[in-house]
Structure formats: C-alpha cells, structure tokens
Amino acid sequence: MRLLKLVPDNTNIGFVRVRFVAFVITALLTIASLAVVGARGLNMGVDFVGGLMIEAKFQTVPQLDAVRSNIDGLGVGVSSLQQFGDPKTVSIRLPIPESSDEGATNAVVSKVSASLVKQFPGVTFTRYDTVSGKVSEELIQNGVLAVVLAVLGIAIFSWLRYEWQFGVSTFVAIVHDVLMTLGFFALTQLEFDLNIVAAVLTIIGYSINDKMVIDDRIRENMRKYRQMDMKALIDLSVNETLPRTVMTSVTVMLALGALLLFGGHVLRGFAAAMMLGIVVGTYSSVYVSSSLLITLGLEPQRFSAKPKESRPDAERVGPQP
Amino acid sequence: MLDFPRWKVWSICLLLAAGVLLSLPSFIPESTAERMGLSGLPRINLGLDLSGGSHLMLEADTTDLAKQNIAKMEEQVRTEMRRADPPIAIGDISTTGGRLSFFVRDASRIDAAVERIRTLTQPSGMTGQRDWDVQVVDSTRIVLTPTKQGLAQATDSAMQVATEVVRKRIDEMGTREPTIIRQGAERIVVQVPGLQNPAALKALLGRTAKLEFKLVDLTADPAAVAQGRAPVGSEVVAYAEPGQAPIAVKRRAMLSGDELIDAKLSYNSQTNEPVVSITFNSEGGRKFARVTQENVGKPFAMILDGKVLSAPNINEPILGGQAQISGRFTTDSANQLAIALRSGKLPVALKVVEERTVGPDLGADSIRAGTLASVIAVVGVVIFMLVSYGRFGFYANLAVVINVFVILGIMALLNATLTLPGIAGFVLTIGTAVDANVLINERIREELRRGRTPTQAVEHGYKEASRTIFEANVTHAIAGLIMFVLGSGQVKGFAVVLLIGIATSVFTAVVFTRMLVALWLRHKRPTSIHI
C-alpha cells in the first residue's frame, strides 16, 4: 500500500524570498482586522457586557421579528436576538433590570417566558445566564490579562531559551494571530464570550507549538551548517518541517471539523475560532515568524561564538557511532 | 534509546492499564454503579453545563455590612458609657461617613471614656492593629473609625455565618448534592445540579429574613406618616404588599426572629389562609407573653426585612411561646418564609451577581453532541494517520485511543469536573496528541532519506523529535496553566483537560509508541521501513 504524503519529499519552496510580500500582506491584514474591530466592534456576550440571556428553543423556526415585537411589548428593555446555528434556537439578550431587588430579574424572566409561551406554544427555555456589570468587568479583566500573560510568558520563554530574535519574531506572529482572530469575530459578529477567550489562548498555544518546531529546526541547522547563508538555511528549515506542519494542521482541522459539525451549537463559535486560528497560525509560522528572523538580524556566527550553548550530541554530520 | 528491558515494558503497560481502568467507572451510569456497589469508585463529575442545573454567585452587600458594624458599635458604646460609675453622658451621636462619632458632655471625663471604649476594640490580624481606631477631636468628641483589618474581619465572620445559613436554606429545599463554596472575601458560589427553575432558590437566598415584632405607634399623625415623618422613637415602615399606606412603629423591637426555634407552614383555622407558625425559645416566649399582656387591644406589626407583613391587633395575651405570622401568603411563599426563618437570619444581604442555568435537555444534548464529535474526531484522525504512516500510524493511533481513556482516568482520579469547554479541549487534544507522532514519523522519514538503516533512523527520529516535542509542549502548557489560574469556571474546565492531555499525550505518543516500535524492530529486524 502506498502511503499518503500531503507534501512531497524534499520540497524547496522559497519562503524567504517572498518575505516582503508576506510582511506587507500580513501588515495589511492586521490593520484591516483592527479596523474591522474598531468599526463594527465585537459582539460581546453577557459574560463581558453583563445582562440577561435567555435561550429559547422553538418547535418551528420562528419569525425573529415576531419574537422581538413580542418581547419589546413587555417593557423589559431593548432585546437583541440571535439565532444559534440551529434556526429553532434563539438567544434573547436583555439588560439587567436597574432595581437591586432579586425579584426584578426573576420577574423579567417569567414575564418573557410566559409571553413567549402564549404566542409560540411548545417553546422551551434551555438556558439562562445573568451576569452583573461588576462580574462582567472582572471577567473582561481576567480574560485580557490571561491573553497578555500568555503571549508575554511564551515570548519570554523562547527569548531565554533561544536568541532574542526568536522571542521577538514569535511575539509579533502571535500578536498577529490574536488580532486576526478578533477581526474574524468582528467581521462575522459571532458572539464573543468566555469560551472564545479559551479558544484564543489555545490558538496562542497551538501557534507557538508550530513556531517552536520550526525555530528548533533552524537552531539545529545553524549548528549543523555554520557557513550556510541565513536565507537558505531558514528556507531549508521551513521546508524540512513543512510535512509535519501540514500533517498536524490537517489532523487538528479534522478534529475541529468534527466539533464544528457535530459538537452542538454552544461550541460552534469556539470551533470556528479555533479553525481560523489554526490557518492563521500556520500561515504566520511559515511565512512570517521565520522570515522575520532575517530582518531582525539573526546570524549564524552568534552560535559559533558561543560554542558552549550548542550541545555536542546535536552534531549529526559524519558517520554515526 | 531502543533498548526496552522487560521491567520497563511491564511498568509502561501497567501504568497505562491503570489509567484506562480508572476511566471505566465513569462510563457506567451512576444508578447502575450504585446497584453494583461501585459507587465509591472515583468518577468524573459533570459540570452544570452538561448535567443541567444552576450556578449562582452571591455577593455580600459590604456597605450594608459596614453600616451594621457601626450600629453594633454604637450599641456597645452606649451600654459601656451607662455602665461607668457614674455614667458618662454622651450626645450628638453621628454614624455618617463610615465612622461613629459622639460628644462627651463632661470634658473632664473624656480620658475615662476613651479608656472604656478601648476595651471594646479587639486586636485584629498579625500586625497588632486593632479593629477600631479611637481618636479624640477637640478634646470633647470621640471618633471611632473601623480599620481595614477590622472591616475585613467583620466581613469574614459575617460571610462564615452567611455561608452556613445559605447551606441550611438550600438543604431545606431538598435539592440533591448542592455545592456551596466561599469565593474570595465576599462571595459565595452555589451550584445546584438538576435545578431547572432557580427563581425560588434566588428568592430564598436573596432574603435576609430579619424578623421583628414592633408595636404600632398610634400617636402618630397619619398625614405626617404618609409624608414619611414619625414621632420621636418611632419610624415609618412600608408594607411588603404594594398599595397599602405605610405605618409608624416604635423603633424598639419587642421581639426579634433571633429568639425563635421553629417555623413552619400551616393554615389559619378560620380563614384557611396559609400562615407561618413560629415557636419561640423559652426566653422569647416569656418576653412575648409579657408584651402582649401589657398591650392587649393594641396593634403590633410583623416586620420582615424592613417591610411590614401585617399588623394585627393583640386580642388577648399570647402565652405558650407560639404565634402565627400572616401576610397574604400563598402556600409557596409561606413555605419559603418558614424555611428562611428556620435557617436563621443572614448577617449580611446577599445579591446574585452571576447566574447560569442550563436545562437538563440542553445538557444531555451537549453530552450527546460532544461524544459524537469526539468519536468522529478520533475516527477521522485514526484513518488519516493510518493512510499516512501505515504501521507507524497504527502505533500512533493505539497511543491516541489509550490516551483518551487515560485522560478520563486521571480526571476521575483527581475528581475533576468535565464541562462543555472541557469536551472541546478533549477533541482538540485528540488532534494535537498525534502531533508528537507526526513529528517523530516525519523525522524518521527524513533520516531514512538520508540513507540511514531502519534502526538508526528510528533511533534518531525519536531522539531528535523528543527535544522538539518537549519544547513545544512546555510552551503549550504555559498557555494552559495561565488559563487554569486566571480562568473562571468554564475556562478552567477546558484548561484542566488541556493540561492533563499535554502530559499524557507526551507519555503515550513518545514513550509508549517508542516501546511498540522497539519491540517490533527487535522481533522482526526489518531491512527496510515502509513509512
């Protein structure tokens, strides 16, 4: 049986040559993504803006306008409706009543559910979320803090472990990945909630994984071919690791595809974010972070100047014992 | 590298078998497990988003607490000044601005007053600081300010009591396996699985249940009361039920809910209206008998959390320490009040700041969808690995499948909670777990292309790839750890699975497959590898 090879043996694609094009595209995409976030904003879930969310499951696909006018007639505030992948499931968002009385929120929920049951018989309510403004602020702070710490922590790790150029290039690429994901959410207006923060952190983790593998190969090749031109060396390293990069992306995509299609509506946003993140992360690993090393002035001499850093068993040229 | 002595093979196999075994009880439904007498085995908890139920976060009203703290101090100061011999006259007591200040009429006795007040303060914390700061202003006025530690201590003790009261109230509702945990200084998290409508629970927990019996002030001018003014020594209180005019009652309570030992739902024998029957302890009963004897024919108000429930006339002295609270209750609301009174007064008002309720249907749907997605992900990845790497793909697949069970086993052992994002973490781990094998196998392919013999290629493949795998996973784990530390409930559930998955997948993907490959190489001694 012939085995499947997604990437042919010994590819020699000139990734470094097109780096300026890649940089310009990357910069443009990042700016565009920031602009979309600025212009459209993120569709923040109740986790981050506070409020009341009721998820209703209708017997038949409802007219959103009919649902909206039903709720708006109750005088409980302006509702915002959203269908959840499954068109029969609608999430209804309402502001939290001003009153500090516990009964007030209960009253809103029962008012809305009673009124909906009347107009749409058979509707069931599968989920309620209420998050107060204070808690949502904390959740935002923690989310932002987590993402910032993750990016910084990982950049510092690769800086301490390798040369500073690796830290910087990884940092730039990861920031790009995060911004692109945010842009995706601003563009699609998918709900941005706590799960998506988890997705963003996972994208960071995955993207780092990708870059580490390539960076590790670059370092290995730097020790192996001390005289080689940096551009050729980086091209070689990216090409050598290309089969792995593609294979892993495919397996993760397979798993995430299963999640997107069969994992239920609650996780759909998460799966979508992750899939996009994998594509973006792979792109930035192959085209951006490694080529950026040249721009940042990584030179092979640095390693030979510090021979202690290279491990003797990493030298693999010559006959094996 | 490829040398696997028998003991090593055995320990690896035993370790993985133990992990797989640990996961098995979680697959047996809880009821079946109980019937089989296996209910003591560790199993994975399902998060509320999977089992259905309510998650409530309650927060103490700290301004209310600070006010109470000062009121309590005021009471103590008054008593202490009266106790002095001769009593120290004070006046112009003010409790605004978060501190207590009063005027000592006889300036020469200010030192004695301060000395007596100092005995009322307690040391708090390690620093030797006291819970109240005592100062003399203009040599006639004493100002008492609670210190930060003092307030923190007051909050802490109030929250301890509040947590107990919350626990009692939830237990009384008869829900199964509620989780009640203090979180931070001023929060309590309540999780009740299987609860579909938390409205009743929220109403119960949001109620302080401070019950007081006060005499109605009949001297008050109704017009002044309507404007919110009451005679000295009295106060205006609104009715709980809207539409009733407020009344004036004496400030001093004749009796409070602290002195009751039981409260239950019953029905008024004449009107058949639901009421709450209460029983006082012996002291409370005596007090109640005395005041009702003294005030026959006068109305008294039953006040709950600062709102009048009803104000009946005292027709005859109430002896025997029993009374009925009426107030246009329904059976449900009377029952709720009875529970609240039985479990005691909350020392501080609690407010629901976060609520997440998931219906059992959605939870079941999520489990079904999550399981389906996991199975499809495994099948997809397994087929893909098989067609890509043949025998080596098969080994990787074996590792992935075992890994799935081991993750579940470790989660059961740690008594971890599986949430819906946790399932997402699971599916993702299936995708990333094979990454290690992809790295190894691609490396072996490369080494073969360089003309190494199969054994050499495998040996180098594993050695070189292991370093990369280690580094890549450390960074991945950094992201996971940050999520675990900073994440809230759901995100934490995701991080747990991710972290366990990183640890186990490195073991199964690197150590376990290497063992399989080594055993195969030793057994067959192939001259070429098909990879």
Side-chain angles (χ1 to χ4, degrees), chain A residues 105-123:
Chain A
T105 318
N106 282 343
V108 169
V109 171
S110 52
K111 223 171 172 180
V112 170
S113 28
S115 166
L116 283 180
V117 168
K118 217 167 168 190
Q119 193 178 343
F120 306 92
V123 63

Side-chain angles (χ1 to χ4, degrees), chain A residues 1-7 9-10 46-47 52 55 57 96 99-102 105-106 109 124-135 138-139 142-143 145-147 149-151 153-154 157-158 161-162 194-195 197-199 201-202 204-206 208-210 212-214 216-217 220-221 223-225 240-241 243-248 250-252 254-256 258-259 262-267 270 274 278 311 313-314 316 318 320-321, chain B residues 57 59-60 62 186-187 196-200 202-203 205-206 307 350-363 365-366 368-370 372-374 376-378 380-382 384-391 420-421 423-425 427-428 430-432 434-436 438-439 442-443 445-447 449-450 452 456 460 463-465 467-476 478-480 482-483 486-491 494 498 530-531:
Chain A
M1 190 182 78
R2 237 188 111 247
L3 295 175
L4 174 75
K5 274 187 189 171
L6 291 179
V7 178
D9 291 344
N10 300 319
V46 284
D47 291 345
L52 179 68
E55 193 183 295
K57 202 172 174 187
I96 286 189
S99 156
S100 62
D101 192 7
E102 243 18 273
T105 318
N106 282 343
V109 171
T124 50
F125 301 95
T126 44
R127 196 150 67 111
Y128 307 94
D129 280 353
T130 316
V131 181
S132 75
K134 193 173 163 198
V135 172
E138 288 172 17
L139 289 175
N142 274 348
L145 186 66
V147 171
L149 277 183
V151 173
I154 289 164
F157 175 83
S158 53
R161 208 147 157 74
Y162 304 134
L194 271 178
N195 289 348
V197 173
L201 286 166
T202 316
I204 295 174
Y206 176 85
I208 274 295
N209 218 329
D210 237 19
M212 278 290 161
V213 170
I214 298 177
D216 195 65
R217 184 59 72 105
E220 188 186 319
N221 283 337
R223 287 192 294 264
K224 209 154 91 183
Y225 311 110
E240 276 178 350
T241 48
R244 175 268 161 192
T245 309
V246 174
M247 278 294 293
T248 299
V250 171
T251 56
V252 177
L254 272 176
L256 287 170
L259 199 61
F262 307 105
H265 68 266
V266 186
L267 287 178
F270 176 89
M274 280 298 305
I278 303 297
R311 289 154 40 164
D313 61 344
R316 297 187 299 101
Q320 286 298 313
Chain B
M57 185 150 80
E59 192 178 76
T62 42
E186 52 205 44
R187 283 180 181 166
Q196 283 192 56
N197 180 9
K202 281 195 305 187
L205 296 181
K307 297 261 172 71
L350 296 175
K351 191 171 158 33
V352 178
V353 286
E354 188 186 8
E355 177 201 340
R356 294 174 194 279
T357 299
V358 173
D361 292 345
L362 180 61
D365 277 354
S366 294
R368 213 172 303 125
L372 183 67
S374 306
I376 292 176
V378 170
V381 169
V382 160
F384 185 66
M385 287 297 281
L386 211 56
V387 297
S388 297
Y389 298 118
R391 173 180 291 275
L420 188 56
I423 293 185
V427 175
L428 192 70
I430 295 166
T432 49
V434 291
D435 178 48
V438 170
L439 270 167
E442 288 297 337
R443 194 67 190 223
R445 276 184 180 172
E446 262 178 70
E447 301 296 331
R449 278 203 296 275
R450 290 202 178 112
R452 292 196 199 278
Q456 278 179 347
H460 271 89
K463 194 160 94 187
E464 294 298 329
R467 190 193 62 234
T468 317
I469 292 166
F470 174 74
E471 257 152 41
N473 278 293
V474 166
T475 47
H476 208 162
I478 293 178
I482 289 171
M483 255 190 272
L486 287 174
S488 63
Q490 336 171 21
V491 176
F494 175 78
L498 201 69
H530 188 55
I531 184 171

